[in-house]
Amino acid sequence: MVWIQLKTVLPSLLTHLAFTLALSAGLWFALKKTFTIKIPFLAALAIGATFSIYNSAGYMWSLAQNRQLIALEASQSAGTASQAQQKLSPVELKNKFLQTVEALVGQPRELTTDIKLALFNEFSSLFPEGDKDRAAYGKAIMRIYECQKFLFEDALASKKYGKLMKSKDREACESEDGSFFQRERLIPPEIAANNTKLIEELLSGP
């Protein structure tokens, strides 16, 4: 983790070092023209470099401390969340997990490996069989987004051909079992009707 942080901030640290060296050199030449100074040029650069390295070390130390605080807060939050989840029924816990996944998918840049691991740890009671259960959840969730893709494809095809298009894939989604999401159909009838209405509105537009 420290190495990753170092690689991230290294360009800024090198820029600071270069700026400090340039400032030290400029100050040395300015003082040399105005005053008689006995500090060698290389010594002036060394002083500037030392100051920059000291400043960068302090910055990295601050980052390390912040990381430890964040980890501590996350650990405490996870413990609180775990206690709260113990009061939820399996259905409520599952719904909370799905809502959390939906929110994270909307922010793909935030969906790091650490966050995924924390998510599965937080809802570990949903996966008593480990990878097998996680794979089942992943398959069900990906199916929803696959059906969403079919809707977009039908919308584009409808706009292209000037008439309402409905693929067999989208029809299959609307008739597929939705028990995983605690509903009769994967795509409930009211949502299917709204999807059709959306495409019709797209056709009637400019």
Side-chain angles (χ1 to χ4, degrees):
M1 180 63 72
V2 174
W3 174 238
I4 294 175
Q5 289 181 340
L6 179 60
K7 288 196 298 183
T8 302
V9 302
L10 186 59
S12 297
L13 299 183
L14 292 177
T15 300
H16 184 273
L17 176 61
F19 176 78
T20 305
L21 291 176
L23 185 62
S24 300
L27 183 61
W28 187 85
F29 280 113
L31 291 175
K32 183 179 180 182
K33 290 182 179 180
T34 308
F35 304 99
T36 301
I37 58 174
K38 299 181 179 180
I39 300 177
F41 178 67
L42 292 180
L45 292 182
I47 293 172
T50 301
F51 171 78
S52 178
I53 292 172
Y54 176 79
N55 182 78
S56 298
Y59 179 68
M60 290 300 298
W61 176 253
S62 177
L63 281 180
Q65 287 182 317
N66 289 338
R67 183 166 58 85
Q68 290 177 348
L69 288 175
I70 291 173
L72 178 61
E73 290 176 357
S75 177
Q76 293 175 341
S77 298
T80 303
S82 178
Q83 293 175 0
Q85 287 175 15
Q86 290 176 0
K87 301 178 182 179
L88 298 177
S89 69
V91 172
E92 291 173 329
L93 186 60
K94 185 177 184 180
N95 285 337
K96 184 177 180 181
F97 173 78
L98 295 174
Q99 291 169 2
T100 304
V101 169
E102 184 177 5
L104 288 173
V105 170
Q107 301 290 335
R109 291 185 179 181
E110 305 297 328
L111 195 56
T112 64
T113 301
D114 289 341
I115 289 179
K116 291 178 183 177
L117 181 60
L119 178 66
F120 283 119
N121 287 338
E122 183 178 347
F123 293 92
S124 59
S125 61
L126 291 174
F127 315 107
E129 296 188 33
D131 289 342
K132 180 180 178 180
D133 288 332
R134 283 192 286 269
Y137 268 71
K139 183 178 179 180
I141 292 169
M142 287 305 299
R143 181 59 176 164
I144 281 288
Y145 289 98
E146 189 177 34
C147 290
Q148 190 72 21
K149 183 191 73 169
F150 297 146
L151 171 63
F152 292 150
E153 290 175 348
D154 282 355
L156 291 173
S158 298
K159 190 66 175 178
K160 179 179 180 179
Y161 295 107
K163 61 179 181 179
L164 184 64
M165 305 289 290
K166 189 170 187 178
S167 64
K168 292 182 179 180
D169 287 325
R170 187 154 67 98
E171 289 180 351
C173 288
E174 293 176 0
S175 61
E176 196 168 318
D177 178 69
S179 57
F180 180 88
F181 298 96
Q182 286 89 49
R183 56 195 184 218
E184 184 178 356
R185 293 284 179 262
L186 181 63
I187 306 297
E190 61 273 16
I191 294 181
N194 286 337
N195 289 342
T196 299
K197 184 178 179 181
L198 178 65
I199 296 178
E200 289 174 342
E201 291 176 350
L202 180 64
L203 284 172
S204 62

